[in-house]
Amino acid sequence: MEKYCVISKRNLAERVNEYVIYAPDVARHCLAGQFVILRVDEDGERVPFTICDYSREKGTVSLLVQEVGYTTMKLAAVKEGECLCDFVGPLGNPTDLSAFKRILLVGGGIGSAVIYPQAKQLFGEGKPADVVIGARNVSLVLFEEDFKRWCANFHLITDDGSSGRKGFVTDVVRDLLASGEHYDAVFAVGPLGMMRAVCDVTAQYGVKTVVSMNSLMVDGTGMCGCCRLTVGGVTKYACIDGPEFDGHEVDFDEAMARSKMYKEIEDEHTCRLRRSL
């Protein structure tokens, strides 16, 4: 089988697809929390995606991708049996929650794909985590039944109340901590604003909080400096120092400003791509 072939592709939610890609060299070495950088074709940009799942036996790596911009739209047009141009990894450092016994996993939107392998791994280690996942509405809820299988307690919340409780993930986190629930650590993954809001809540209770910073990247080796961010007053690079950091030390204002730098250019390319499809 040709490398980087899309073995299977399925739609899990509105504009959210799961891709299972044949990449035996990556699957042989990757661990939960790491990421890959891929190019759809020779003219494509290099974009990072967190590894959602993998099978060493089958030589496959699974990615969950939300169609939001130029490259993710091009990726959505790739059919089963077709191949990607490049698929580099594993990159970044694997998640290490070994020092903590009771853990709360919080996923917002597509961030649920990142905490999913953590839930499976923690369950297998005999310390199932509590899980909170949030989405804008029921059509965007991911892995609900899978999470229920792999966690101790499951909490679902949607912005509009179309599934689970109405509100935001921070409402659940705040209620759990206020009720006296003790966690050694919170691992939160999702949009920057959501992760910052979770950190604001956990800081009030002195709970260690880890976040995953999926910054803009080009080379994935620390050479380009594109993914730099400030953590504890020190410049770090998400690709080699992360992607996970102490959320209470991340300069979210800076990270959010940097994430918007190319929005106008991205919107222009997206409009051009839509006309061509």
Side-chain angles (χ1 to χ4, degrees):
M1 182 180 299
E2 191 171 351
K3 284 186 178 180
Y4 318 144
C5 179
V6 178
I7 303 299
S8 68
K9 172 186 174 183
R10 61 172 176 155
N11 181 257
L12 295 185
E14 182 183 352
R15 302 175 77 85
V16 177
N17 294 314
E18 178 191 59
Y19 302 85
V20 179
I21 298 164
Y22 182 66
D25 293 336
V26 179
R28 188 178 301 117
H29 300 287
C30 67
L31 294 170
Q34 294 183 295
F35 64 94
V36 298
I37 288 181
L38 63 80
R39 284 196 305 162
V40 177
D41 54 40
E42 291 185 355
D43 297 322
E45 63 180 341
R46 294 164 57 87
V47 288
F49 295 106
T50 301
I51 294 169
C52 176
D53 206 351
Y54 58 88
S55 171
R56 303 201 197 285
E57 295 75 18
K58 297 178 181 178
T60 59
V61 174
S62 299
L63 306 177
L64 205 63
V65 181
Q66 185 173 25
E67 187 183 339
V68 294
Y70 178 75
T71 295
T72 51
M73 288 176 64
K74 290 180 71 175
L75 184 58
V78 176
K79 301 179 176 62
E80 289 185 359
E82 295 180 340
C83 296
L84 306 178
C85 177
D86 295 320
F87 195 84
V88 180
L91 300 170
N93 300 300
T95 304
D96 183 7
L97 300 175
S98 59
F100 311 112
K101 292 184 178 179
R102 190 139 195 267
I103 300 165
L104 178 64
L105 303 176
V106 184
I110 202 72
S112 298
V114 182
I115 67 168
Y116 173 63
Q118 309 303 330
K120 290 177 62 178
Q121 182 171 319
L122 290 169
F123 184 89
E125 294 173 355
K127 51 179 185 180
D130 286 357
V131 171
V132 180
I133 65 169
R136 291 199 307 272
N137 55 60
V138 64
S139 71
L140 296 171
V141 174
L142 303 172
F143 299 127
E144 179 177 357
E145 295 306 315
D146 296 293
F147 275 121
K148 290 177 180 178
R149 177 184 177 188
W150 300 116
C151 73
N153 298 289
F154 178 77
H155 305 271
L156 172 61
I157 191 162
T158 52
D159 294 3
D160 61 1
S162 55
S163 184
R165 173 179 168 182
K166 182 178 181 179
F168 305 102
V169 292
T170 46
D171 298 328
V172 179
V173 174
R174 183 180 294 106
D175 289 350
L176 288 170
L177 295 177
S179 69
E181 290 283 358
H182 170 75
Y183 296 102
D184 299 310
V186 172
F187 180 41
V189 187
L192 289 170
M194 165 259 174
M195 291 191 292
R196 178 170 66 176
V198 170
C199 289
D200 288 343
V201 172
T202 57
Q204 299 173 26
Y205 294 88
V207 181
K208 172 80 172 182
T209 304
V210 179
V211 297
S212 182
M213 302 298 292
N214 295 310
S215 309
L216 295 169
M217 295 184 189
V218 177
D219 72 321
T221 66
M223 296 291 288
C224 70
C226 186
C227 67
R228 66 185 181 275
L229 66 157
T230 301
V231 183
V234 178
T235 298
K236 298 286 186 179
Y237 299 91
C239 64
I240 57 174
D241 297 318
E244 294 160 9
F245 300 93
D246 185 331
H248 296 146
E249 295 189 348
V250 171
D251 185 336
F252 279 104
D253 288 334
E254 177 190 63
M256 293 173 77
R258 285 182 58 80
S259 72
K260 299 174 182 177
M261 288 178 62
Y262 302 103
K263 188 176 186 306
E264 291 185 4
I265 297 174
E266 178 75 13
D267 289 343
E268 179 184 352
H269 280 281
T270 300
C271 289
R272 290 178 181 175
L273 181 61
R274 287 188 187 281
R275 285 196 296 268
S276 68
L277 288 178

